[in-house]
Amino acid sequence: MVTVYTISIIFTVILLLIIIELVKRNYLKEKYSLFWIFFGILLILFALFPQFTYRLSIALGIKYPPAVLFFLGLLFLIVYNLHLTVMLSQQLERLTRVIQEISILKEFYKEMKEKRRKE
Amino acid sequence: MSKVLIIIPAYNEERSIENVIREVKSANSNYDILVINDGSSDNTSKIAKTCGVKVIDLPFNLGIGGAVQTGFIYAKNEYYDIAVQLDGDGQHDSRFIKDLIVLIENQEADMVIGSRFKGNTNYKIPILRKIGMIFFSKFIKILTGLDIKDTTSGFRAVNRRVIEYFSERYPLDYPEVDVIVRLYKKGFKIKEIPVYMNARKYGRSSITPLKAIYYMVKVSFALFINYLRSEKLV
């Protein structure tokens, strides 16, 4: 019988394969891929042991057990997105600094070259 | 005599930049002029270079804050005592540079803002801008107790200590109002003096109603956050 659990196992296996492929092609850094692989394994564990999801749904008072997964998944995505925007802000700050320093150096370099040419 | 750098951020100002440079030069030939070409797609950089001033070309548009900060980093590296920021569109009258500098030299303030509101100035203010200005002026007053009328004026002079601070930290976009609160929190002294401003000759103000709203919200939020920040006083 095809249930949400089997679908999620299939989906996760595909996801893991894609992640490995992305790392192989250098599109994804190893240090970030580890996080996604860990996440994928967690998903598989959830799908393999529905009892856990079931118990969790009772504890949280959720009537439809798979909704627990949606709930946790959504929470996770929100937090992770926040983390990404924090990283993006940091990257922007660093990028700006690099551009500024390089532009100043470039000007200095041109000036030096000009001076040398005149000598 | 103190070493003075005039920082002119310019983004597509090919029609006004030459005039601005000439006016600054005629105001005082001892000032060093630095044009920050903020990724212009026109001839701003070329024209500025033919005027014989130093030009730093940013490879793409960083925004006014990023451009001006480049100037402060340069000023810090080259040991300038005073940096004056002046718009590339010709709005700011360079005859008033000396008035800004005098207050810095006499150590009456760490940053001096040239204001179009104090006293009798001949500048007619667009209505949208006026509303914003009054709003931010009140906001600054509530947060810091400072009485600054023209909070968004980009015509200002700062001393060495502020140059060093700005080269470390400076907001990327809409920096003018933001830094007033930052400097206040850091314990710097801010003063405002009246200057004449010219209506812009070329180009339109980039502020559309939607942008104006975004500007208000963004800057208000930034001000509020700055107020919450507990950076150590210098």
Side-chain angles (χ1 to χ4, degrees), chain A residues 92-93 95-97 99-101 103-104 106-108 110-111, chain B residues 54-60 62 66 69-70 73 167 169 172:
Chain A
L92 181 68
E93 191 158 311
L95 184 67
T96 304
R97 193 67 187 193
I99 292 167
Q100 291 171 329
E101 301 271 1
S103 304
I104 292 172
K106 239 170 71 189
E107 207 283 325
F108 181 69
K110 269 189 207 157
E111 195 183 321
Chain B
K54 206 171 268 291
V55 179
I56 288 178
D57 292 303
L58 299 175
F60 49 83
L62 280 187
Q69 192 185 32
T70 311
I73 296 170
S167 68
R169 296 227 147 263
L172 266 187

Side-chain angles (χ1 to χ4, degrees), chain B residues 95-209:
Chain B
R95 284 174 299 169
F96 289 89
I97 294 174
K98 62 176 189 316
D99 299 335
L100 297 178
I101 289 176
V102 154
L103 286 178
I104 301 280
E105 280 182 328
N106 295 344
Q107 298 181 356
E108 285 178 51
D110 299 299
M111 176 166 83
V112 182
I113 302 173
S115 165
R116 74 198 90 191
F117 292 132
K118 282 213 162 167
N120 276 330
T121 56
N122 64 346
Y123 182 75
K124 263 195 88 183
I125 309 124
I127 184 75
L128 208 62
R129 183 156 195 142
K130 199 168 187 175
I131 295 168
M133 301 314 77
I134 292 168
F135 174 75
F136 284 126
S137 185
K138 288 270 184 294
F139 203 157
I140 294 272
K141 177 101 187 171
I142 291 166
L143 290 183
T144 66
L146 291 170
D147 189 21
I148 293 168
K149 292 278 179 292
D150 196 357
T151 54
T152 63
S153 164
F155 190 21
R156 8 183 104 179
V158 298
N159 65 10
R160 178 74 195 169
R161 278 167 62 230
V162 177
I163 290 174
E164 279 166 13
Y165 174 65
F166 279 172
S167 68
E168 289 298 322
R169 296 227 147 263
Y170 202 74
L172 266 187
D173 51 356
Y174 312 135
E176 294 85 4
V177 191
D178 199 324
V179 297
I180 294 174
V181 178
R182 287 190 195 211
L183 288 185
Y184 169 80
K185 288 282 270 191
K186 280 275 182 189
F188 287 109
K189 238 177 116 187
I190 304 162
K191 274 210 167 163
E192 190 184 27
I193 61 161
V195 297
Y196 283 95
M197 291 224 189
N198 312 310
R200 108 185 18 237
K201 274 183 208 140
Y202 305 104
R204 265 172 290 121
S205 166
S206 55
I207 299 172
T208 61

Side-chain angles (χ1 to χ4, degrees), chain A residues 40-78:
Chain A
I41 291 170
L42 203 70
L43 272 184
I44 291 181
L45 287 178
F46 264 104
L48 283 178
F49 304 104
Q51 318 88 283
F52 181 68
T53 311
Y54 184 67
R55 264 193 247 141
L56 211 58
S57 73
I58 292 170
L60 292 171
I62 297 170
K63 291 210 178 78
Y64 178 58
V68 172
L69 297 180
F70 288 114
F71 173 65
L72 292 178
L74 196 63
L75 273 188
F76 163 79
L77 286 181
I78 290 170

Side-chain angles (χ1 to χ4, degrees), chain B residues 1 26 35 48-49 55 68-69 93-94 101 171 174 184 204 209:
Chain B
M1 231 197 85
S26 65
V35 173
K49 275 171 193 155
V55 179
V68 171
Q69 192 185 32
D93 195 326
S94 36
I101 289 176
Y174 312 135
Y184 169 80
R204 265 172 290 121

